[in-house]
């Protein structure tokens, strides 16, 4: 093991040596000894990646080779096509990595002789085709050939043991598939082939594959203005030698109506359940917390605490590392356009490339790398085993989940905020396995000049595997393009706002420290209450829709002007799209609890798939600066009290999210607003949680109001209907007597003169009942 040194040459072997494994990666080697393979006949493992090799020594002097080499890693060198004939001298090769070299062709006759191959990695070269003789590699189960110029789909779907195929970032246009696919095929990655068009028949053929990755074509109705030009991302996840992937990622380029972005990485180590739950829920929790506070320390800490609680029973014995990066317009620093807030627990890390240099943004919470955390755990009398793990479970001291190890393991994150500048080139997110095999500088240099972020993320994972990683590895690369040249305000006839424009934004004032998470997430009102198993499990399954363009609220209820670019957002760029005097609420189910097949809309109720929005007039939440707004004057005829007109702002719940539909004020007038007649029926309402289900376009959860049963709670009340026990039943023999008595009673009562506005016509049913 002589890797990661400054070795420039190896000595010539004069006699046979019993060497079985040789690791010489990350050195300065330009060639290997000519007698390496002829003298080291027991050599089975050779890793010479990350050197400057231009050629390989011959496997033997004679035609018959005695080489026992099985694992050969030559990634990230300067090898050309001339090295391929030498590989034939190793007939026992099972794993061959030639990624990131200068190969242009792979001779078919040479590949035909490598019949023992099980894993072949040719990514990052200049190959145009994969030889058809690959069909002779009957034992091949993994083929990785991304980031090439391959235009013809290789004949690999006839291999009996093929499991994983990665042909992303190539020039494929069509796929020729056999009548029956191998039953072993589990993962097929075709992303990054811009000219590839798959027919419905082909997609049906691939329907049994566990993971099929293809590019999603943009819908014609997609708003082009929401596509951010300031950042783009690429994601790569590889299971390695394990049979399951315990790493999940979160990527939302258009967060909060396109004025921000959210990226996350979650690593469950040995469990895949918690990373998937965090992937589904954490963006929605962040959106809710951002609406409650503009202090990055407050909303990030609350996001982690709320997500920790929402794991429910699944998070009692299982844990996960979590990394969350939030890009938003920077209102605090007029010299910066955007601010990057990073929070993490566990071992996932984020690195910013600024002027070509890595800038670490996160902190590793482990017993080995954090002496302060190790001392804290020791002071709290935790058991640290010989393998340096807390109670023999995990080396992390802060995670989401693992509640049975409290207070040794905490969910409190490390939080950092960085203003983004024009010198910031890219952001790299990775799990523990990635950073164990790549340094910050090496990762930044490897992807700085790669044009496609997807190819960059793939390259990082491939390098980690070639450098010895056998575990789950995940990498996300976010390219940043923060600069004035990307502004589109002037193109739309809008003036560029100066620093005063940012400073004039009305924001909510928050306490300096995060005392408790917002009650909208259920912490303040439900943490002390007892919950049944079904309630806890429902919280574990609570998640929101995949649509992340719900508006955020950092200012008051202002009229929505023309949209500006994300570089120069106006104070009202993330506000309501509806009339400013209406607040929009959403719920997972209707208050009457009934499903409906009716397609007739109800007045004031908007249904959209599994989301239900109800418009409610709020006349007490106008800002002090909005009293003279003509739109508000038309929609709010009732004057607002002065104490309610100052600084009362409301957040919008994330659609289809947990406890959605709760209206919460964002100022100190919370108790006064709670007593307001217009909010008394909405404030503090607790709704049931949904489960993880896909959105259905044809699902309607509102019954037509005229046919709904009697219901006193909810956002609207159905017309009152007579109950059977309330009807006045008179026997036939007493009908005449009762009518006479009622007539006399009516005549004896003096009829008051009604006010003009109270005059109404009684329905015919009333006379009939009498």
């Amino acid at each position: 093991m002589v890797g990661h040194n400054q070795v420039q040459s190896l000595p010539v072997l004069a006699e046979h040596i019993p060497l079985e494994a040789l690791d010489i990666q990350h050195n300065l080697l330009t060639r290997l000894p000519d007698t390496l393979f002829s003298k080291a006949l027991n050599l089975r493992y050779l890793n010479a990646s990350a050197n400057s090799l231009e050629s390989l020594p011959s496997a033997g002097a004679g035609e018959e080779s005695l080489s026992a080499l099985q694992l050969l890693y030559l990634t990230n060198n300067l090898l050309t096509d001339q090295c391929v004939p030498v590989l034939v001298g190793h007939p026992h090769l099972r794993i061959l990595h030639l990624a990131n070299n200068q190969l242009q062709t792979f001779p078919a006759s040479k590949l035909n002789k490598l019949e023992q191959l099980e894993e072949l990695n040719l990514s990052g070269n200049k190959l145009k085709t994969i030889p058809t003789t690959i069909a002779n590699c009957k034992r091949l189960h993994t083929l990785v050939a991304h980031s090439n110029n391959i235009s013809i789909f290789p004949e690999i779907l006839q291999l009996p043991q093929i499991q994983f195929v990665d042909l992303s970032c190539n020039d494929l246009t069509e796929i020729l598939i056999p009548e029956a696919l191998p039953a072993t095929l589990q993962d097929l990655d075709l992303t990054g082939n811009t000219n590839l068009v798959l027919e419905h028949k082909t997609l049906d053929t691939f329907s049994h594959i566990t993971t099929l990755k293809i590019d999603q074509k943009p819908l014609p109705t997609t708003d082009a203005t929401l596509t951010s030009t300031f950042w783009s991302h690429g994601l790569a996840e590889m299971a390695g030698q394990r049979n399951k992937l315990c790493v999940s990622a979160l990527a939302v380029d258009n967060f909060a109506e396109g004025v921000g972005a959210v990226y996350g990485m979650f690593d469950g180590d040995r469990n895949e359940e918690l990373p998937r739950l965090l992937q589904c829920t954490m963006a929605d929790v962040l959106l809710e917390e951002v609406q409650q506070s503009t202090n990055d320390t407050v909303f990030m800490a609350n996001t982690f605490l709320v997500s920790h609680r929402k794991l429910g029973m699944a998070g009692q014995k299982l844990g996960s590392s979590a990394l969350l990066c939030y890009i938003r317009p920077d209102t605090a620093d007029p010299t910066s356009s955007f601010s990057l807030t990073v929070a993490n627990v566990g071992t996932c890390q984020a690195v910013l490339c600024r002027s070509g240099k890595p800038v670490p943004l996160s902190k590793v919470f482990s017993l080995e790398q954090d002496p302060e955390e190790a001392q804290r755990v020791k002071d709290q009398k935790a058991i640290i085993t010989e393998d340096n793990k807390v109670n023999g479970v995990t080396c992390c001291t802060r995670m989401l989940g693992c509640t049975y190890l409290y207070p040794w393991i905490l969910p409190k994150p490390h939080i950092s905020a960085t203003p983004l500048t024009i010198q910031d080139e890219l952001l790299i997110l990775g799990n523990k396995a990635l950073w164990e095999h790549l340094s910050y500088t090496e990762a930044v240099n490897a992807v700085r000049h790669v044009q496609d972020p997807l190819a960059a993320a793939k390259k990082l994972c491939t390098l980690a595997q070639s450098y010895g990683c056998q575990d789950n590895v995940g990498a996300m690369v976010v390219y940043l393009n923060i600069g004035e040249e990307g502004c589109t305000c002037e193109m739309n006839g809008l003036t560029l706002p100066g620093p005063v424009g940012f400073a004039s934004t009305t924001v909510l004032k928050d306490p300096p420290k995060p005392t408790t998470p917002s009650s909208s997430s259920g912490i303040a009102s439900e943490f002390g209450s007892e919950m049944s198993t079904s309630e806890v499990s429902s919280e574990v399954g609570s998640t929101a829709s995949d649509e992340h363009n719900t508006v955020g609220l950092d200012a008051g209820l202002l009229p929505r002007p023309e949209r500006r670019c994300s570089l120069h957002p106006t104070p009202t760029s993330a506000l309501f799209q509806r009339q400013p005097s209406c607040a929009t609420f959403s719920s997972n189910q209707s208050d009457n609890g009934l499903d409906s097949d009716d397609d007739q809309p109800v007045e004031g109720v908007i249904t959209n798939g599994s989301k239900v929005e109800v418009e409610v007039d709020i006349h007490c939440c106008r800002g002090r600066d909005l009293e003279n707004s003509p739109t508000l004057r038309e929609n709010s005829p009732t004057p607002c009290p002065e104490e309610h007109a100052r600084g009362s702002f409301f957040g919008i719940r994330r659609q289809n999210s947990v406890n959605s539909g709760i209206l919460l004020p964002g100022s100190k007038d919370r108790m006064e607003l709670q007593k307001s007649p217009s909010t008394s029926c909405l404030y503090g309402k607790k709704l049931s949680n949904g489960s993880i289900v896909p959105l259905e376009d044809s699902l309607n959860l509102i019954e037509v109001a005229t046919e709904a049963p009697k219901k006193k709670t909810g956002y609207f009340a159905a017309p009152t209907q007579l109950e059977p026990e309330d009807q006045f039943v008179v026997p036939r023999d007493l009908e005449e007597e009762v009518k006479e008595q009622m007539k006399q009673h009516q005549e004896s009562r003096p009829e008051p003169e009604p006010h003009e506005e109270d005059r109404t016509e009684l329905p015919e049913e009333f006379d009939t009942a009498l």
Side-chain angles (χ1 to χ4, degrees):
M1 307 294 292
V2 292
H4 298 275
N5 285 288
Q6 303 292 324
V7 179
Q8 298 182 6
S9 63
L10 294 177
V12 178
L13 300 179
E15 57 184 12
H16 295 281
I17 58 174
L19 189 65
E20 295 184 2
L22 179 61
D23 190 333
I24 51 176
Q25 60 174 306
H26 289 86
N27 280 290
L28 304 177
L29 297 173
T30 57
R31 59 178 300 172
L32 296 177
D34 295 336
T35 58
L36 175 63
F37 296 124
S38 59
K39 298 298 182 180
L41 297 178
N42 295 335
L43 189 64
R44 289 177 171 82
Y45 171 87
L46 173 61
N47 193 334
S49 300
N51 282 282
S52 300
L53 299 178
E54 298 179 359
S55 61
L56 296 176
S58 174
E63 186 173 341
E64 291 293 332
S65 174
L66 300 178
S67 172
L69 192 64
Q70 298 182 11
L71 288 78
L72 180 58
Y73 296 90
L74 298 171
T75 295
N76 204 10
N77 279 284
L78 302 176
L79 298 174
T80 60
D81 301 348
Q82 298 178 357
C83 74
V84 177
V86 180
L87 299 176
V88 180
H90 306 284
H92 302 289
L93 272 180
R94 296 189 296 107
I95 298 178
L96 175 60
H97 281 222
L98 289 171
N100 295 97
N101 282 282
Q102 299 179 6
L103 300 179
Q104 296 184 357
T105 59
F106 202 108
S109 59
K110 307 303 179 182
L111 184 60
N112 187 27
K113 297 182 180 181
L114 299 176
E115 298 180 354
Q116 304 295 323
L117 272 183
E118 299 177 7
E119 180 178 329
L120 177 61
N121 194 323
L122 299 173
S123 59
N125 286 283
K126 302 177 182 178
L127 298 175
K128 296 182 179 180
T129 58
I130 299 293
T132 57
T133 52
I134 196 173
N136 293 332
C137 303
K138 301 297 183 180
R139 298 185 179 182
L140 190 69
H141 59 73
T142 300
L143 173 64
V144 181
H146 64 78
S147 306
N148 279 283
N149 302 321
I150 301 175
S151 57
I152 301 176
F153 192 82
E155 298 181 6
I156 55 175
L157 298 181
Q158 298 178 354
L159 298 177
Q161 299 182 17
I162 192 68
Q163 298 179 10
F164 181 88
V165 178
D166 188 351
L167 293 172
S168 58
C169 301
N170 279 286
D171 298 329
L172 294 176
T173 56
E174 60 179 357
I175 298 179
L176 299 178
I177 59 176
E179 296 181 358
L181 294 178
T184 56
L185 185 60
Q186 299 179 2
D187 197 316
L188 178 61
D189 193 345
L190 300 175
T191 55
N193 293 276
T194 56
N195 298 324
L196 179 62
V197 178
L198 298 180
E199 300 178 353
H200 292 287
K201 181 180 179 181
T202 305
L203 294 176
D204 293 340
T205 306
F206 289 146
S207 60
H208 78 281
I209 302 178
T210 305
T211 305
L212 174 63
K213 300 178 181 179
I214 57 176
D215 291 328
Q216 296 183 356
K217 304 298 180 181
L219 299 176
T221 57
T222 303
D223 188 1
T225 60
L226 294 180
T227 303
S228 176
T229 59
F230 303 108
W231 45 73
S232 58
H233 78 279
L235 172 64
E237 300 169 335
M238 297 183 181
Q241 300 297 325
R242 294 168 57 179
N243 57 359
K244 63 180 180 178
L245 183 64
C246 300
V247 178
S248 294
L250 170 66
V252 186
D253 290 326
N254 297 306
F255 184 73
E257 207 193 16
V259 296
V262 173
Y263 304 101
M265 183 75 67
F266 314 104
D267 188 354
D269 192 16
R270 296 294 175 181
N271 76 90
E272 57 184 342
E273 182 177 0
L274 257 60
R276 296 297 173 87
L277 291 175
L278 294 172
Q279 177 190 30
C280 293
T281 59
M282 209 157 187
D284 299 306
V285 175
L286 174 62
L287 185 60
E288 294 181 358
E289 297 303 329
V290 167
Q291 294 168 2
Q292 303 300 321
S293 172
T294 56
N295 188 305
D296 48 12
T297 303
V298 174
F299 65 69
M300 271 298 190
N302 288 347
T303 298
F304 273 67
L305 293 178
V306 172
S307 300
H308 173 74
R309 179 183 178 274
K310 288 187 180 298
L311 294 176
M313 295 184 64
Q316 291 183 4
K317 292 187 177 181
L318 302 179
S320 174
S321 299
L323 169 66
L324 198 63
C325 302
Y326 177 34
I327 304 176
R328 61 168 179 162
D330 192 352
T331 58
D333 187 2
T335 62
S336 177
S337 303
F338 294 94
S339 174
L340 172 62
T341 304
V342 178
N344 81 290
V345 292
T347 55
C348 294
Q349 302 179 59
V351 175
L352 179 67
C353 174
R354 174 169 290 178
S355 300
K357 304 297 182 181
V359 180
L361 302 177
S362 51
K363 181 179 180 180
V364 180
F365 290 102
S366 66
L367 294 175
E368 298 177 352
Q369 303 186 33
D370 195 338
E372 296 180 0
E373 285 291 295
Q375 187 63 39
R376 177 185 66 83
V377 173
K378 292 178 181 179
D379 294 341
Q380 293 174 343
K381 310 301 180 182
I383 299 175
I384 300 179
T385 54
E386 293 181 354
D387 53 356
N388 212 16
K389 292 183 178 181
V390 180
N391 280 28
V393 177
T394 176
C395 63
C396 297
T397 59
R398 298 195 185 185
M399 301 174 67
L400 296 184
C402 279
T403 54
Y404 79 104
L405 292 178
Y406 176 87
W408 306 315
I409 296 181
L410 303 175
K412 183 180 180 181
H414 169 268
I415 303 174
S416 64
T418 305
L420 295 179
T421 64
I422 194 173
Q423 288 80 23
D424 297 325
E425 302 175 19
L426 53 90
L427 178 67
I428 302 177
L429 286 71
N431 69 330
K432 176 183 177 181
L434 179 70
W435 300 116
E436 281 183 343
H437 295 86
L438 273 81
S439 65
Y440 299 147
T441 303
E442 184 179 8
V444 167
N445 293 335
V447 299
R448 276 192 66 193
H449 304 292
V450 180
Q451 299 296 326
D452 186 6
L454 175 61
K458 293 277 186 180
K459 182 177 181 180
L460 291 178
C461 291
T462 298
L463 291 178
Q465 288 186 334
S466 297
Y467 296 162
C469 177
Q470 298 182 358
D471 206 344
N472 290 172
V473 58
M476 182 184 298
V477 179
V478 182
Y479 282 0
L480 302 174
N481 185 24
I482 309 299
E484 293 291 338
E485 65 276 3
C487 177
T488 57
C489 293
E490 294 179 340
M491 298 174 57
N492 297 331
L494 300 174
T495 58
L496 295 178
V500 180
F502 291 104
S504 62
T505 303
T506 306
V507 297
L508 306 180
K509 296 182 179 180
D510 301 286
K513 295 182 179 180
T515 54
T516 57
S518 64
S519 57
S520 64
S521 303
I523 295 297
S525 61
E526 300 175 20
F527 188 79
S529 61
E530 298 182 359
M531 293 189 298
S532 63
T533 305
S534 60
E535 290 175 336
V536 176
S537 61
S538 65
E539 288 214 5
V540 174
S542 56
T543 173
S545 64
D546 294 332
E547 303 172 10
H548 294 277
N549 53 359
T550 306
V551 295
L553 188 61
D554 283 339
L557 300 178
L558 300 174
R560 179 183 175 87
E562 291 187 61
R563 178 180 178 84
R564 293 179 179 269
C565 71
S566 300
L567 188 61
H568 299 110
T570 62
T572 60
S573 62
L575 303 181
F576 299 109
Q577 297 186 16
R578 303 186 183 278
Q579 293 296 330
S581 62
C582 294
T584 303
F585 309 93
S586 62
S587 172
N588 280 344
Q589 64 181 25
S590 60
D591 273 0
N592 55 21
L594 297 178
D595 295 335
S596 173
D597 296 329
D598 300 318
D599 296 328
Q600 297 298 328
V602 186
E603 183 177 359
V605 179
I606 302 97
T607 61
N608 180 16
S610 62
K611 299 183 292 293
V612 179
E613 301 176 358
V614 181
E615 295 183 358
V616 182
D617 287 335
I618 305 298
H619 300 294
C620 61
C621 55
R622 293 184 301 169
R624 180 175 56 182
D625 299 332
L626 311 177
E627 293 179 351
N628 298 326
S629 175
T631 309
L632 282 174
R633 190 180 298 112
E634 294 176 4
N635 292 279
S636 301
T638 306
C640 297
E642 184 63 20
E643 61 271 18
H644 287 178
R646 295 186 178 182
S648 300
F649 306 112
F650 290 85
I652 302 180
R653 280 287 148 253
R654 176 72 169 88
Q655 289 184 348
N656 204 27
S657 62
V658 179
N659 289 338
S660 58
I662 304 175
L663 180 65
L664 286 179
S667 69
K668 63 182 181 180
D669 296 332
R670 179 180 299 228
M671 297 306 297
E672 295 179 5
L673 288 175
Q674 185 174 358
K675 301 176 183 179
S676 174
S678 59
T679 60
S680 60
C681 63
L682 299 176
Y683 182 79
K685 178 176 175 55
K686 177 184 176 182
L687 300 180
S688 60
N689 297 326
S691 58
I692 300 180
V693 293
L695 294 177
E696 298 292 342
D697 296 335
S698 61
L699 184 61
N700 292 324
L701 298 177
I702 279 293
E703 184 74 16
V704 178
T706 56
E707 298 179 4
K710 181 179 179 180
K711 186 75 173 179
K712 295 183 179 181
T713 60
Y715 301 135
F716 67 92
T720 304
Q721 299 180 358
L722 292 177
E723 299 293 340
E725 60 270 15
D726 296 337
Q727 296 180 3
F728 188 60
V729 182
V730 181
R732 291 186 178 180
D733 54 346
L734 298 178
E735 285 184 0
E736 296 299 331
E737 182 178 352
V738 171
K739 288 183 179 180
E740 186 65 26
Q741 291 180 1
M742 292 182 65
K743 184 177 180 182
Q744 293 177 2
H745 179 70
Q746 291 291 341
E747 293 177 354
S748 62
R749 291 181 57 186
E751 186 172 351
E753 191 69 16
H755 295 286
E756 192 66 25
E757 59 272 20
D758 294 334
R759 295 181 182 271
T760 56
E761 295 183 2
L762 298 178
E764 297 180 0
E765 292 81 4
F766 186 81
D767 295 336
T768 305
L770 292 179

